[in-house]
C-alpha cells in the first residue's frame, strides 16, 4: 500500500477513535511504512523518527505506538530477543500474520496466509472459546543458514 493512502486510512481510524493524526504520529507511522519488513523496536523507531523530526521525544513515540497498537493499526510482537517489536497490520487482515524466525541468523520472514482458520474453528467449537486473534511464530533454520551449514561440512 502506498504511504499516502495508508496515512489517509490511519487518519480516519484515529479520527473515528477520537484521536488526531498529529505530526508526531505521522512521522512515527511513516517510519513504520518505510521499514515495513524490519520489525523495529520502539527505540529503533525513535532513532529513525528523530532523523526526520529531531524535536520528537522517546515518550511521544512510545505513546504513539501504544495508540496504534490499541487501534490494531500495528501489532506488538516479541521474538527471542525479549524486545517488543512493532509490525504494521496488513490492510484487510483479519488476524496477525505469522512469522518464521531463524535461530541462527535471527532473520524474520513473514507468512501472509492465515494458516490457522481450521484450528480456530476447532478451538471455538471444542472449548467454547471465541477467538479474536492469534499469533504464530515458527522457530527454525532459514534456507540461507541451512545452505551455509551444508557448505561448511
Amino acid at each position: 500500500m502506498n504511504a499516502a493512502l495508508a496515512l489517509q486510512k490511519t487518519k480516519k481510524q484515529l479520527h473515528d477513535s477520537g484521536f488526531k493524526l498529529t505530526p508526531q504520529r505521522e512521522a512515527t507511522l511513516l517510519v513504520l511504512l518505510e521499514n515495513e519488513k524490519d520489525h523495529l523496536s520502539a527505540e529503533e523507531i525513535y532513532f529513525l523518527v528523530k532523523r526526520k523530526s529531531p524535536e520528537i521525544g522517546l515518550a511521544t513515540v512510545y505513546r504513539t505506538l501504544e495508540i496504534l497498537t490499541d487501534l490494531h493499526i500495528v501489532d506488538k510482537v516479541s521474538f527471542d530477543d525479549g524486545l517488543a517489536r512493532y509490525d504494521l497490520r496488513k490492510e484487510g487482515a483479519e488476524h496477525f500474520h505469522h512469522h518464521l524466525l531463524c535461530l541462527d541468523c535471527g532473520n524474520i520472514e513473514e507468512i501472509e496466509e492465515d494458516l490457522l482458520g481450521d484450528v480456530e474453528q476447532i478451538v471455538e467449537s471444542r472449548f467454547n472459546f471465541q477467538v479474536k486473534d492469534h499469533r504464530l511464530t515458527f522457530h527454525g533454520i532459514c534456507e540461507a543458514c541451512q545452505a551455509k551449514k551444508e557448505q561448511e561440512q
Side-chain angles (χ1 to χ4, degrees), residues 21-89:
L21 181 61
T22 64
Q24 296 87 346
R25 291 177 186 148
E26 185 172 341
T28 303
L29 190 61
L30 282 171
V31 164
L32 288 166
L33 287 165
E34 291 165 1
N35 299 279
E36 200 170 348
K37 297 285 183 201
D38 292 334
H39 304 91
L40 300 172
S41 69
E43 291 79 11
E44 290 168 328
I45 294 167
Y46 167 69
F47 288 122
L48 293 170
V49 167
K50 197 91 171 130
R51 288 183 190 166
K52 297 173 186 266
S53 305
E55 73 284 356
I56 296 176
L58 181 58
T60 300
V61 171
Y62 269 110
R63 280 192 303 274
T64 298
L65 291 170
E66 287 306 312
I67 290 167
L68 296 175
T69 300
D70 290 345
L71 297 178
H72 302 289
I73 295 166
V74 300
D75 289 302
K76 187 188 292 189
V77 62
S78 294
F79 297 108
D80 284 350
D81 58 8
L83 287 175
R85 299 185 175 278
Y86 295 87
D87 205 359
L88 279 172
R89 188 172 279 243

Side-chain angles (χ1 to χ4, degrees), residues 71-110:
L71 297 178
H72 302 289
I73 295 166
V74 300
D75 289 302
K76 187 188 292 189
V77 62
S78 294
F79 297 108
D80 284 350
D81 58 8
L83 287 175
R85 299 185 175 278
Y86 295 87
D87 205 359
L88 279 172
R89 188 172 279 243
K90 305 295 182 216
E91 183 180 10
E94 189 175 326
H95 296 290
F96 186 64
H97 56 266
H98 311 306
H99 293 96
L100 305 173
L101 172 63
C102 180
L103 298 172
D104 282 356
C105 68
N107 186 46
I108 301 165
E109 294 291 326
E110 296 182 351

